Amino acid sequence: WTAITSNPQSTSQNASFGSTTAGVCAAGRTSNMDAATTTTNEWDGSSWTSGGAYPASIRLMAVTSTAPATTGLAFGGQNGGSPSPGNVATCQSYDGSTWTSQTVIPTATSDNGGAAGTSASALLSGGKAPSVTANCFKYDGTSWASSPALGTARRTAFGMGSTTAALSAGG
């Protein structure tokens, strides 16, 4: 491991995607009081720069990305704030400079549901809607549709693969 320049804003539960030479870190939790931010920072392999602001203060989103690594899709999540901030069904695409609203997911889901695929063909599995769920939804670049559910409900899972061959692990 090699130390690099720290992200300008300390966050957790954010939408992060990309590679070691082109990455994005957007929104997320900023404090123990569950506050969230709209800040987006981009990594170019040596330094951080400001990117387009995320449209809302949200945390715990699921994310996918597509080459170039500074393009991605963030969906679901939880409004910042406390108590009981509430799940969201939003879906936002990032083109490397601007976040754009896309069709919302069918059920408001947070707690990092497992995500697989790309910005144009994504899969969301599990999460919290409002309790732990086995829901699975598929995005075709235009709209979301229900897919076969997970065998076991889970949240904070890791998703990987494509929309036709995905894996949901952990949680």
Side-chain angles (χ1 to χ4, degrees), residues 116-118 120-124 137-140 147 160-166:
T118 67
S121 179
L123 196 67
L124 169 62
F137 303 110
K138 185 177 179 181
Y139 181 68
D140 65 8
S147 285
M160 57 204 92
S162 69
T163 54
T164 58

Side-chain angles (χ1 to χ4, degrees), residues 42-58:
E42 296 182 17
W43 174 252
D44 66 6
S46 63
S47 62
W48 292 95
T49 56
S50 294
Y54 197 79
S57 297
I58 296 178

Side-chain angles (χ1 to χ4, degrees), residues 73 75-77 87-91 102-110 122-126 128-130 133 135-140 142-147:
L73 190 70
F75 37 97
N87 295 345
V88 298
T90 58
C91 178
Q102 303 299 322
T103 305
V104 298
I105 57 177
T107 302
T109 306
S110 71
L123 196 67
L124 169 62
S125 58
K128 192 172 165 188
T133 183
N135 289 345
C136 188
F137 303 110
K138 185 177 179 181
Y139 181 68
D140 65 8
T142 304
S143 62
W144 291 89
S146 293
S147 285

